[in-house]
Amino acid sequence: MVLALRAPVYVGFDAATLSAAVPARGFGRRRLQSFERIHLSPGAIAPSAVSPNLLRPEEVRDALRRLREQLGRVGPAVLVLPDAAARLSLLDVEGDDQRDYARFRLSSGLPYPVSEALVDVLPVGPGRALAAAVRRSIVEEYEAAASAAGFVKERVDLAALVGLAGILERDPSPRVHILLGETSISLAALDARGIVAFRQRRRDVAAGEGERLFAEAARTARILGDGDRFRLTLSGADAPTLGRELEAAGLSAETRGPVEPAGAGEAAWLAGLLA
């Protein structure tokens, strides 16, 4: 197929924005061939692990069509769903079929029958995997909108899995990573063993968010052996602003993500993809 010869496109969804990135082919540090971003009106998407996400699907489809037109000719699409659309858990895994084991472990904590769940895993260290369950009907909402806009789906992924996979591959230095979505955050603590702690939270953007995030990171870092001294990296929506807030409070955090083109740094999964 001619489509398979074109560069793949990552299409990211969040509560207030749609973004699309085409990584450049070649060797060395990854960079962007193209990037586009479109804002949605409030309430068009409401990321949820249980309820419908696309509350105004026609608006989302129209925005995706504009995104597709701005990109031009692209290859197969990886649909990157917001983390709030999934239940994620760090598991000690057994056996060769980690996905089946993760389905079994996650089943008791899902607010819907496990038969409705699509489960994926990201190996994150010896005997450990980050498991994610997304309700099938929710995945189908995103797939239908992307298809109507002309994107040919290659696979569906989650923001945290895309971001952390890139970090594990290219920058596994010990630290706590906070991946900032527009309505949720994911915290992952890494050391020489890989990811050793993971937490998922709804995001609170009220005043003082930076210091609250730092306190969350300190609690997550305690599994690394010292909750008072750790390296913190912020990536995603508002990361530079929060980094400056922490600096003003005498706290240290590195912000990560592409500066150009404008808006690319707002997608935490993209920061991991280009790590």
Side-chain angles (χ1 to χ4, degrees):
M1 292 180 61
V2 175
L3 185 66
L5 301 178
R6 301 176 192 160
V9 56
Y10 287 77
V11 181
F13 298 81
D14 215 329
T17 55
L18 302 176
S19 54
V22 180
R25 297 180 183 273
F27 299 101
R29 187 176 181 85
R30 294 188 181 182
R31 57 185 181 83
L32 291 179
Q33 175 179 308
S34 57
F35 175 82
E36 299 291 342
R37 188 166 183 250
I38 288 180
H39 293 278
L40 300 169
S41 61
I45 297 179
S48 166
V50 181
S51 305
N53 282 208
L54 274 60
L55 302 188
R56 292 199 294 276
E58 187 56 44
E59 178 182 340
V60 177
R61 288 194 292 268
D62 287 345
L64 285 167
R65 290 189 189 102
R66 297 198 304 274
L67 201 65
R68 177 74 175 78
E69 291 168 0
Q70 291 169 11
L71 287 168
R73 292 160 60 88
V74 294
V78 179
L79 308 183
V80 184
L81 275 53
D83 294 340
R87 291 296 177 93
L88 295 110
S89 181
L90 183 63
L91 302 177
D92 294 323
V93 293
E94 301 175 357
D96 295 329
D97 199 331
Q98 295 185 354
R99 189 170 297 175
D100 281 351
Y101 181 74
R103 177 180 292 276
F104 166 73
R105 288 287 306 275
L106 291 173
S107 61
S108 62
L110 294 177
Y112 50 83
V114 71
S115 60
E116 298 180 20
L118 296 175
V119 176
D120 201 2
V121 295
L122 172 68
V124 296
R128 287 188 310 281
L130 185 58
V134 187
R135 199 169 194 171
R136 188 183 305 272
S137 59
I138 289 173
V139 173
E140 290 171 349
E141 290 180 75
Y142 289 100
E143 290 177 331
S147 177
F151 289 103
V152 178
K153 184 197 73 176
E154 179 180 86
R155 68 178 190 273
V156 176
D157 217 324
L158 280 171
L161 299 189
V162 174
L164 291 173
I167 290 167
L168 286 166
E169 178 185 351
R170 291 181 291 279
D171 183 19
S173 57
R175 66 180 65 222
V176 174
H177 287 272
I178 297 183
L179 281 63
L180 296 155
E182 291 170 351
T183 63
S184 66
I185 62 170
S186 295
L187 301 93
L190 280 72
D191 66 11
R193 297 166 290 174
I195 294 179
V196 294
F198 178 85
R199 304 172 74 192
Q200 182 184 20
R201 294 286 185 271
R202 287 200 63 81
R203 187 169 177 185
D204 177 4
V205 296
E209 181 186 16
E211 293 189 50
R212 289 195 301 276
L213 288 174
F214 194 89
E216 287 271 9
R219 287 191 288 271
T220 306
R222 289 195 178 102
I223 198 167
L224 300 178
D226 191 343
D228 297 321
R229 298 179 60 188
F230 61 93
R231 298 171 67 191
L232 172 62
T233 296
L234 301 171
S235 58
D238 305 315
T241 300
L242 292 168
R244 291 190 292 271
E245 179 183 325
L246 288 173
E247 184 179 1
L251 303 171
S252 175
E254 172 188 345
T255 58
R256 183 173 298 179
V259 177
E260 295 293 340
E266 293 293 296
W269 57 268
L270 186 53
L273 190 68
L274 300 176

